PDB file of all heavy atoms in Angstrom:
ATOM      1  N   ASN A 640      -8.319   5.587  -6.591  1.00 97.00           N
ATOM      2  CA  ASN A 640      -9.749   5.210  -6.432  1.00 97.00           C
ATOM      3  C   ASN A 640      -9.836   3.928  -5.781  1.00 97.00           C
ATOM      4  O   ASN A 640     -10.704   3.676  -4.891  1.00 97.00           O
ATOM      5  CB  ASN A 640     -10.420   5.248  -7.776  1.00 97.00           C
ATOM      6  CG  ASN A 640     -11.009   6.667  -8.095  1.00 97.00           C
ATOM      7  OD1 ASN A 640     -11.967   7.077  -7.484  1.00 97.00           O
ATOM      8  ND2 ASN A 640     -10.375   7.341  -9.029  1.00 97.00           N
ATOM      9  N   ALA A 641      -9.029   2.946  -6.225  1.00 98.00           N
ATOM     10  CA  ALA A 641      -9.130   1.554  -5.561  1.00 98.00           C
ATOM     11  C   ALA A 641      -8.818   1.668  -4.051  1.00 98.00           C
ATOM     12  O   ALA A 641      -9.489   1.022  -3.236  1.00 98.00           O
ATOM     13  CB  ALA A 641      -8.134   0.628  -6.238  1.00 98.00           C
ATOM     14  N   LEU A 642      -7.808   2.473  -3.724  1.00 98.00           N
ATOM     15  CA  LEU A 642      -7.419   2.635  -2.338  1.00 98.00           C
ATOM     16  C   LEU A 642      -8.454   3.357  -1.569  1.00 98.00           C
ATOM     17  O   LEU A 642      -8.819   2.914  -0.420  1.00 98.00           O
ATOM     18  CB  LEU A 642      -6.117   3.363  -2.277  1.00 98.00           C
ATOM     19  CG  LEU A 642      -5.540   3.734  -0.882  1.00 98.00           C
ATOM     20  CD1 LEU A 642      -5.246   2.515  -0.074  1.00 98.00           C
ATOM     21  CD2 LEU A 642      -4.307   4.627  -0.999  1.00 98.00           C
ATOM     22  N   VAL A 643      -8.999   4.424  -2.055  1.00 98.00           N
ATOM     23  CA  VAL A 643      -9.998   5.195  -1.383  1.00 98.00           C
ATOM     24  C   VAL A 643     -11.249   4.348  -1.131  1.00 98.00           C
ATOM     25  O   VAL A 643     -11.838   4.290   0.005  1.00 98.00           O
ATOM     26  CB  VAL A 643     -10.307   6.498  -2.179  1.00 98.00           C
ATOM     27  CG1 VAL A 643     -11.628   7.094  -1.656  1.00 98.00           C
ATOM     28  CG2 VAL A 643      -9.181   7.482  -2.077  1.00 98.00           C
ATOM     29  N   LEU A 644     -11.725   3.692  -2.132  1.00 98.00           N
ATOM     30  CA  LEU A 644     -12.899   2.818  -2.027  1.00 98.00           C
ATOM     31  C   LEU A 644     -12.714   1.776  -0.932  1.00 98.00           C
ATOM     32  O   LEU A 644     -13.599   1.547  -0.113  1.00 98.00           O
ATOM     33  CB  LEU A 644     -13.276   2.262  -3.364  1.00 98.00           C
ATOM     34  CG  LEU A 644     -13.973   3.140  -4.364  1.00 98.00           C
ATOM     35  CD1 LEU A 644     -13.883   2.495  -5.730  1.00 98.00           C
ATOM     36  CD2 LEU A 644     -15.352   3.460  -3.971  1.00 98.00           C
ATOM     37  N   ALA A 645     -11.537   1.216  -0.927  1.00 98.00           N
ATOM     38  CA  ALA A 645     -11.211   0.098  -0.033  1.00 98.00           C
ATOM     39  C   ALA A 645     -11.237   0.600   1.403  1.00 98.00           C
ATOM     40  O   ALA A 645     -11.783  -0.039   2.300  1.00 98.00           O
ATOM     41  CB  ALA A 645      -9.882  -0.533  -0.353  1.00 98.00           C
ATOM     42  N   ARG A 646     -10.655   1.777   1.621  1.00 98.00           N
ATOM     43  CA  ARG A 646     -10.629   2.357   2.975  1.00 98.00           C
ATOM     44  C   ARG A 646     -12.076   2.664   3.382  1.00 98.00           C
ATOM     45  O   ARG A 646     -12.420   2.449   4.567  1.00 98.00           O
ATOM     46  CB  ARG A 646      -9.765   3.584   3.016  1.00 98.00           C
ATOM     47  CG  ARG A 646      -8.285   3.299   2.949  1.00 98.00           C
ATOM     48  CD  ARG A 646      -7.442   4.547   2.904  1.00 98.00           C
ATOM     49  NE  ARG A 646      -7.691   5.465   3.985  1.00 98.00           N
ATOM     50  CZ  ARG A 646      -7.024   5.291   5.200  1.00 98.00           C
ATOM     51  NH1 ARG A 646      -6.152   4.299   5.413  1.00 98.00           N
ATOM     52  NH2 ARG A 646      -7.277   6.198   6.134  1.00 98.00           N
ATOM     53  N   CYS A 647     -12.890   3.213   2.511  1.00 98.00           N
ATOM     54  CA  CYS A 647     -14.273   3.511   2.899  1.00 98.00           C
ATOM     55  C   CYS A 647     -15.054   2.195   3.290  1.00 98.00           C
ATOM     56  O   CYS A 647     -15.760   2.228   4.224  1.00 98.00           O
ATOM     57  CB  CYS A 647     -14.993   4.151   1.706  1.00 98.00           C
ATOM     58  SG  CYS A 647     -14.407   5.748   1.326  1.00 98.00           S
ATOM     59  N   ILE A 648     -14.825   1.164   2.513  1.00 98.00           N
ATOM     60  CA  ILE A 648     -15.516  -0.102   2.748  1.00 98.00           C
ATOM     61  C   ILE A 648     -15.071  -0.626   4.146  1.00 98.00           C
ATOM     62  O   ILE A 648     -15.894  -1.113   4.886  1.00 98.00           O
ATOM     63  CB  ILE A 648     -15.177  -1.126   1.583  1.00 98.00           C
ATOM     64  CG1 ILE A 648     -15.871  -0.623   0.330  1.00 98.00           C
ATOM     65  CG2 ILE A 648     -15.653  -2.532   1.951  1.00 98.00           C
ATOM     66  CD1 ILE A 648     -15.324  -1.297  -0.907  1.00 98.00           C
ATOM     67  N   LYS A 649     -13.761  -0.618   4.382  1.00 98.00           N
ATOM     68  CA  LYS A 649     -13.325  -1.147   5.682  1.00 98.00           C
ATOM     69  C   LYS A 649     -13.801  -0.289   6.863  1.00 98.00           C
ATOM     70  O   LYS A 649     -14.055  -0.787   7.928  1.00 98.00           O
ATOM     71  CB  LYS A 649     -11.737  -1.193   5.664  1.00 98.00           C
ATOM     72  CG  LYS A 649     -11.222  -2.212   4.712  1.00 98.00           C
ATOM     73  CD  LYS A 649     -11.474  -3.627   5.104  1.00 98.00           C
ATOM     74  CE  LYS A 649     -10.720  -3.960   6.401  1.00 98.00           C
ATOM     75  NZ  LYS A 649     -10.941  -5.403   6.787  1.00 98.00           N
ATOM     76  N   LEU A 650     -13.907   1.043   6.666  1.00 98.00           N
ATOM     77  CA  LEU A 650     -14.411   1.927   7.684  1.00 98.00           C
ATOM     78  C   LEU A 650     -15.940   1.934   7.816  1.00 98.00           C
ATOM     79  O   LEU A 650     -16.448   2.526   8.730  1.00 98.00           O
ATOM     80  CB  LEU A 650     -13.897   3.324   7.495  1.00 98.00           C
ATOM     81  CG  LEU A 650     -12.440   3.567   7.594  1.00 98.00           C
ATOM     82  CD1 LEU A 650     -11.994   4.863   6.934  1.00 98.00           C
ATOM     83  CD2 LEU A 650     -12.034   3.599   9.084  1.00 98.00           C
ATOM     84  N   ASN A 651     -16.576   1.281   6.868  1.00 97.00           N
ATOM     85  CA  ASN A 651     -18.050   1.250   6.822  1.00 97.00           C
ATOM     86  C   ASN A 651     -18.628   2.653   6.737  1.00 97.00           C
ATOM     87  O   ASN A 651     -19.618   2.994   7.365  1.00 97.00           O
ATOM     88  CB  ASN A 651     -18.698   0.515   8.057  1.00 97.00           C
ATOM     89  CG  ASN A 651     -20.138   0.167   7.838  1.00 97.00           C
ATOM     90  OD1 ASN A 651     -20.543  -0.018   6.683  1.00 97.00           O
ATOM     91  ND2 ASN A 651     -20.858   0.088   8.894  1.00 97.00           N
ATOM     92  N   ARG A 652     -17.919   3.470   5.933  1.00 98.00           N
ATOM     93  CA  ARG A 652     -18.395   4.835   5.656  1.00 98.00           C
ATOM     94  C   ARG A 652     -18.514   4.956   4.198  1.00 98.00           C
ATOM     95  O   ARG A 652     -17.532   5.209   3.484  1.00 98.00           O
ATOM     96  CB  ARG A 652     -17.371   5.946   6.213  1.00 98.00           C
ATOM     97  CG  ARG A 652     -17.309   5.903   7.780  1.00 98.00           C
ATOM     98  CD  ARG A 652     -16.316   6.962   8.249  1.00 98.00           C
ATOM     99  NE  ARG A 652     -16.151   6.911   9.714  1.00 98.00           N
ATOM    100  CZ  ARG A 652     -16.983   7.523  10.558  1.00 98.00           C
ATOM    101  NH1 ARG A 652     -17.970   8.188  10.115  1.00 98.00           N
ATOM    102  NH2 ARG A 652     -16.755   7.512  11.827  1.00 98.00           N
ATOM    103  N   THR A 653     -19.752   4.727   3.680  1.00 97.00           N
ATOM    104  CA  THR A 653     -19.954   4.433   2.315  1.00 97.00           C
ATOM    105  C   THR A 653     -20.961   5.435   1.660  1.00 97.00           C
ATOM    106  O   THR A 653     -21.777   5.038   0.882  1.00 97.00           O
ATOM    107  CB  THR A 653     -20.403   3.028   2.057  1.00 97.00           C
ATOM    108  OG1 THR A 653     -21.507   2.754   2.889  1.00 97.00           O
ATOM    109  CG2 THR A 653     -19.255   2.040   2.488  1.00 97.00           C
ATOM    110  N   THR A 654     -20.881   6.717   1.957  1.00 97.00           N
ATOM    111  CA  THR A 654     -21.674   7.688   1.175  1.00 97.00           C
ATOM    112  C   THR A 654     -20.673   8.401   0.260  1.00 97.00           C
ATOM    113  O   THR A 654     -19.400   8.350   0.385  1.00 97.00           O
ATOM    114  CB  THR A 654     -22.250   8.778   2.079  1.00 97.00           C
ATOM    115  OG1 THR A 654     -21.180   9.625   2.708  1.00 97.00           O
ATOM    116  CG2 THR A 654     -23.038   8.146   3.240  1.00 97.00           C
ATOM    117  N   PHE A 655     -21.192   9.105  -0.683  1.00 96.00           N
ATOM    118  CA  PHE A 655     -20.380   9.838  -1.655  1.00 96.00           C
ATOM    119  C   PHE A 655     -19.511  10.918  -1.008  1.00 96.00           C
ATOM    120  O   PHE A 655     -18.408  11.117  -1.354  1.00 96.00           O
ATOM    121  CB  PHE A 655     -21.269  10.442  -2.749  1.00 96.00           C
ATOM    122  CG  PHE A 655     -20.562  10.927  -3.974  1.00 96.00           C
ATOM    123  CD1 PHE A 655     -19.588  10.119  -4.614  1.00 96.00           C
ATOM    124  CD2 PHE A 655     -20.735  12.193  -4.399  1.00 96.00           C
ATOM    125  CE1 PHE A 655     -18.855  10.602  -5.716  1.00 96.00           C
ATOM    126  CE2 PHE A 655     -20.021  12.775  -5.504  1.00 96.00           C
ATOM    127  CZ  PHE A 655     -19.052  11.923  -6.166  1.00 96.00           C
ATOM    128  N   ASP A 656     -20.125  11.618  -0.008  1.00 97.00           N
ATOM    129  CA  ASP A 656     -19.406  12.526   0.757  1.00 97.00           C
ATOM    130  C   ASP A 656     -18.266  11.930   1.538  1.00 97.00           C
ATOM    131  O   ASP A 656     -17.093  12.503   1.623  1.00 97.00           O
ATOM    132  CB  ASP A 656     -20.336  13.308   1.781  1.00 97.00           C
ATOM    133  CG  ASP A 656     -21.131  14.345   1.073  1.00 97.00           C
ATOM    134  OD1 ASP A 656     -20.778  14.742  -0.051  1.00 97.00           O
ATOM    135  OD2 ASP A 656     -22.146  14.807   1.695  1.00 97.00           O
ATOM    136  N   ASP A 657     -18.445  10.714   2.041  1.00 98.00           N
ATOM    137  CA  ASP A 657     -17.358   9.953   2.715  1.00 98.00           C
ATOM    138  C   ASP A 657     -16.219   9.714   1.713  1.00 98.00           C
ATOM    139  O   ASP A 657     -15.034   9.910   2.046  1.00 98.00           O
ATOM    140  CB  ASP A 657     -17.752   8.610   3.217  1.00 98.00           C
ATOM    141  CG  ASP A 657     -18.699   8.774   4.453  1.00 98.00           C
ATOM    142  OD1 ASP A 657     -18.526   9.699   5.247  1.00 98.00           O
ATOM    143  OD2 ASP A 657     -19.586   7.868   4.638  1.00 98.00           O
ATOM    144  N   TYR A 658     -16.525   9.353   0.553  1.00 98.00           N
ATOM    145  CA  TYR A 658     -15.584   9.057  -0.529  1.00 98.00           C
ATOM    146  C   TYR A 658     -14.788  10.331  -0.804  1.00 98.00           C
ATOM    147  O   TYR A 658     -13.594  10.310  -0.916  1.00 98.00           O
ATOM    148  CB  TYR A 658     -16.310   8.606  -1.773  1.00 98.00           C
ATOM    149  CG  TYR A 658     -15.441   8.759  -2.979  1.00 98.00           C
ATOM    150  CD1 TYR A 658     -14.384   7.840  -3.276  1.00 98.00           C
ATOM    151  CD2 TYR A 658     -15.639   9.757  -3.827  1.00 98.00           C
ATOM    152  CE1 TYR A 658     -13.595   8.027  -4.415  1.00 98.00           C
ATOM    153  CE2 TYR A 658     -14.835   9.949  -5.046  1.00 98.00           C
ATOM    154  CZ  TYR A 658     -13.827   9.055  -5.256  1.00 98.00           C
ATOM    155  OH  TYR A 658     -13.041   9.234  -6.349  1.00 98.00           O
ATOM    156  N   ARG A 659     -15.483  11.449  -0.962  1.00 97.00           N
ATOM    157  CA  ARG A 659     -14.772  12.710  -1.298  1.00 97.00           C
ATOM    158  C   ARG A 659     -13.846  13.149  -0.202  1.00 97.00           C
ATOM    159  O   ARG A 659     -12.777  13.681  -0.451  1.00 97.00           O
ATOM    160  CB  ARG A 659     -15.840  13.747  -1.593  1.00 97.00           C
ATOM    161  CG  ARG A 659     -16.649  13.552  -2.894  1.00 97.00           C
ATOM    162  CD  ARG A 659     -17.770  14.547  -3.044  1.00 97.00           C
ATOM    163  NE  ARG A 659     -17.280  15.864  -3.195  1.00 97.00           N
ATOM    164  CZ  ARG A 659     -17.587  16.898  -2.400  1.00 97.00           C
ATOM    165  NH1 ARG A 659     -18.362  16.755  -1.409  1.00 97.00           N
ATOM    166  NH2 ARG A 659     -17.125  18.137  -2.632  1.00 97.00           N
ATOM    167  N   ARG A 660     -14.286  12.934   1.015  1.00 98.00           N
ATOM    168  CA  ARG A 660     -13.370  13.308   2.175  1.00 98.00           C
ATOM    169  C   ARG A 660     -12.104  12.411   2.153  1.00 98.00           C
ATOM    170  O   ARG A 660     -10.978  12.906   2.383  1.00 98.00           O
ATOM    171  CB  ARG A 660     -14.105  13.117   3.501  1.00 98.00           C
ATOM    172  CG  ARG A 660     -15.227  14.150   3.774  1.00 98.00           C
ATOM    173  CD  ARG A 660     -15.725  14.002   5.172  1.00 98.00           C
ATOM    174  NE  ARG A 660     -16.910  14.849   5.364  1.00 98.00           N
ATOM    175  CZ  ARG A 660     -18.147  14.474   5.280  1.00 98.00           C
ATOM    176  NH1 ARG A 660     -18.404  13.160   5.075  1.00 98.00           N
ATOM    177  NH2 ARG A 660     -19.155  15.330   5.429  1.00 98.00           N
ATOM    178  N   GLN A 661     -12.296  11.118   1.887  1.00 98.00           N
ATOM    179  CA  GLN A 661     -11.146  10.266   1.910  1.00 98.00           C
ATOM    180  C   GLN A 661     -10.236  10.552   0.722  1.00 98.00           C
ATOM    181  O   GLN A 661      -9.020  10.490   0.847  1.00 98.00           O
ATOM    182  CB  GLN A 661     -11.636   8.777   1.814  1.00 98.00           C
ATOM    183  CG  GLN A 661     -10.504   7.772   2.071  1.00 98.00           C
ATOM    184  CD  GLN A 661     -10.016   7.702   3.435  1.00 98.00           C
ATOM    185  OE1 GLN A 661      -8.798   7.577   3.597  1.00 98.00           O
ATOM    186  NE2 GLN A 661     -10.829   7.864   4.437  1.00 98.00           N
ATOM    187  N   LEU A 662     -10.784  10.847  -0.418  1.00 98.00           N
ATOM    188  CA  LEU A 662     -10.055  11.252  -1.591  1.00 98.00           C
ATOM    189  C   LEU A 662      -9.174  12.500  -1.350  1.00 98.00           C
ATOM    190  O   LEU A 662      -8.018  12.505  -1.682  1.00 98.00           O
ATOM    191  CB  LEU A 662     -11.004  11.455  -2.768  1.00 98.00           C
ATOM    192  CG  LEU A 662     -10.314  11.855  -4.117  1.00 98.00           C
ATOM    193  CD1 LEU A 662      -9.483  10.645  -4.623  1.00 98.00           C
ATOM    194  CD2 LEU A 662     -11.452  12.182  -5.158  1.00 98.00           C
ATOM    195  N   GLN A 663      -9.769  13.455  -0.741  1.00 98.00           N
ATOM    196  CA  GLN A 663      -9.037  14.672  -0.368  1.00 98.00           C
ATOM    197  C   GLN A 663      -7.898  14.372   0.579  1.00 98.00           C
ATOM    198  O   GLN A 663      -6.752  14.835   0.451  1.00 98.00           O
ATOM    199  CB  GLN A 663      -9.943  15.742   0.284  1.00 98.00           C
ATOM    200  CG  GLN A 663      -9.194  16.976   0.682  1.00 98.00           C
ATOM    201  CD  GLN A 663     -10.120  18.096   1.171  1.00 98.00           C
ATOM    202  OE1 GLN A 663     -11.183  18.276   0.576  1.00 98.00           O
ATOM    203  NE2 GLN A 663      -9.740  18.833   2.216  1.00 98.00           N
ATOM    204  N   LEU A 664      -8.160  13.541   1.572  1.00 98.00           N
ATOM    205  CA  LEU A 664      -7.131  13.165   2.513  1.00 98.00           C
ATOM    206  C   LEU A 664      -5.908  12.547   1.867  1.00 98.00           C
ATOM    207  O   LEU A 664      -4.752  12.942   2.169  1.00 98.00           O
ATOM    208  CB  LEU A 664      -7.715  12.133   3.543  1.00 98.00           C
ATOM    209  CG  LEU A 664      -6.671  11.382   4.427  1.00 98.00           C
ATOM    210  CD1 LEU A 664      -6.181  12.370   5.505  1.00 98.00           C
ATOM    211  CD2 LEU A 664      -7.287  10.150   5.044  1.00 98.00           C
ATOM    212  N   ILE A 665      -6.155  11.709   0.929  1.00 98.00           N
ATOM    213  CA  ILE A 665      -5.074  11.014   0.298  1.00 98.00           C
ATOM    214  C   ILE A 665      -4.333  11.804  -0.794  1.00 98.00           C
ATOM    215  O   ILE A 665      -3.160  11.708  -0.921  1.00 98.00           O
ATOM    216  CB  ILE A 665      -5.627   9.656  -0.298  1.00 98.00           C
ATOM    217  CG1 ILE A 665      -5.942   8.707   0.830  1.00 98.00           C
ATOM    218  CG2 ILE A 665      -4.656   8.964  -1.226  1.00 98.00           C
ATOM    219  CD1 ILE A 665      -6.678   7.452   0.434  1.00 98.00           C
ATOM    220  N   ARG A 666      -5.033  12.598  -1.536  1.00 98.00           N
ATOM    221  CA  ARG A 666      -4.499  13.277  -2.682  1.00 98.00           C
ATOM    222  C   ARG A 666      -3.720  14.566  -2.276  1.00 98.00           C
ATOM    223  O   ARG A 666      -2.861  15.002  -3.095  1.00 98.00           O
ATOM    224  CB  ARG A 666      -5.638  13.697  -3.587  1.00 98.00           C
ATOM    225  CG  ARG A 666      -5.170  14.319  -4.900  1.00 98.00           C
ATOM    226  CD  ARG A 666      -6.392  14.634  -5.843  1.00 98.00           C
ATOM    227  NE  ARG A 666      -6.968  13.474  -6.359  1.00 98.00           N
ATOM    228  CZ  ARG A 666      -8.102  13.404  -7.030  1.00 98.00           C
ATOM    229  NH1 ARG A 666      -8.781  14.569  -7.184  1.00 98.00           N
ATOM    230  NH2 ARG A 666      -8.553  12.316  -7.528  1.00 98.00           N
ATOM    231  N   TYR A 667      -4.006  15.127  -1.118  1.00 98.00           N
ATOM    232  CA  TYR A 667      -3.407  16.412  -0.714  1.00 98.00           C
ATOM    233  C   TYR A 667      -2.517  16.290   0.455  1.00 98.00           C
ATOM    234  O   TYR A 667      -2.719  15.542   1.370  1.00 98.00           O
ATOM    235  CB  TYR A 667      -4.515  17.479  -0.551  1.00 98.00           C
ATOM    236  CG  TYR A 667      -5.174  17.889  -1.814  1.00 98.00           C
ATOM    237  CD1 TYR A 667      -6.286  17.152  -2.314  1.00 98.00           C
ATOM    238  CD2 TYR A 667      -4.582  18.985  -2.663  1.00 98.00           C
ATOM    239  CE1 TYR A 667      -6.844  17.573  -3.543  1.00 98.00           C
ATOM    240  CE2 TYR A 667      -5.150  19.266  -3.817  1.00 98.00           C
ATOM    241  CZ  TYR A 667      -6.298  18.590  -4.286  1.00 98.00           C
ATOM    242  OH  TYR A 667      -6.850  18.908  -5.473  1.00 98.00           O
ATOM    243  N   ARG A 668      -1.470  17.159   0.504  1.00 98.00           N
ATOM    244  CA  ARG A 668      -0.497  17.142   1.573  1.00 98.00           C
ATOM    245  C   ARG A 668      -1.238  17.486   2.937  1.00 98.00           C
ATOM    246  O   ARG A 668      -1.863  18.549   3.070  1.00 98.00           O
ATOM    247  CB  ARG A 668       0.592  18.232   1.263  1.00 98.00           C
ATOM    248  CG  ARG A 668       1.714  18.197   2.305  1.00 98.00           C
ATOM    249  CD  ARG A 668       2.889  19.075   1.822  1.00 98.00           C
ATOM    250  NE  ARG A 668       3.517  18.417   0.624  1.00 98.00           N
ATOM    251  CZ  ARG A 668       3.292  18.837  -0.627  1.00 98.00           C
ATOM    252  NH1 ARG A 668       2.500  19.828  -0.853  1.00 98.00           N
ATOM    253  NH2 ARG A 668       3.899  18.191  -1.600  1.00 98.00           N
ATOM    254  N   GLY A 669      -1.094  16.551   3.846  1.00 97.00           N
ATOM    255  CA  GLY A 669      -1.823  16.697   5.117  1.00 97.00           C
ATOM    256  C   GLY A 669      -3.378  16.649   4.999  1.00 97.00           C
ATOM    257  O   GLY A 669      -4.122  16.893   5.948  1.00 97.00           O
ATOM    258  N   GLY A 670      -3.927  16.324   3.826  1.00 98.00           N
ATOM    259  CA  GLY A 670      -5.283  16.240   3.556  1.00 98.00           C
ATOM    260  C   GLY A 670      -5.991  17.590   3.372  1.00 98.00           C
ATOM    261  O   GLY A 670      -7.231  17.693   3.363  1.00 98.00           O
ATOM    262  N   VAL A 671      -5.119  18.679   3.219  1.00 98.00           N
ATOM    263  CA  VAL A 671      -5.685  20.014   3.092  1.00 98.00           C
ATOM    264  C   VAL A 671      -5.393  20.592   1.729  1.00 98.00           C
ATOM    265  O   VAL A 671      -4.324  20.530   1.178  1.00 98.00           O
ATOM    266  CB  VAL A 671      -5.005  20.882   4.143  1.00 98.00           C
ATOM    267  CG1 VAL A 671      -5.489  22.339   4.031  1.00 98.00           C
ATOM    268  CG2 VAL A 671      -5.225  20.387   5.556  1.00 98.00           C
TER     269      VAL A 671
END
């Protein structure tokens, strides 16, 4: 969560859907 939030903040993509996309990217192989 700390990593995902930080990436969102740096990318200036700060909606809850943005968070969920980034979380999926990081948590799953190839983001899928």
Side-chain angles (χ1 to χ4, degrees):
N640 271 288
L642 175 63
V643 166
L644 283 166
R646 285 175 60 84
C647 291
I648 291 163
K649 292 292 293 182
L650 289 163
N651 196 29
R652 296 183 181 273
T653 55
T654 69
F655 191 53
D656 282 342
D657 288 329
Y658 162 77
R659 292 173 64 239
R660 291 188 187 97
Q661 189 69 220
L662 182 63
Q663 177 174 320
L664 168 72
I665 288 172
R666 185 179 288 169
Y667 288 90
R668 188 168 291 102
V671 178

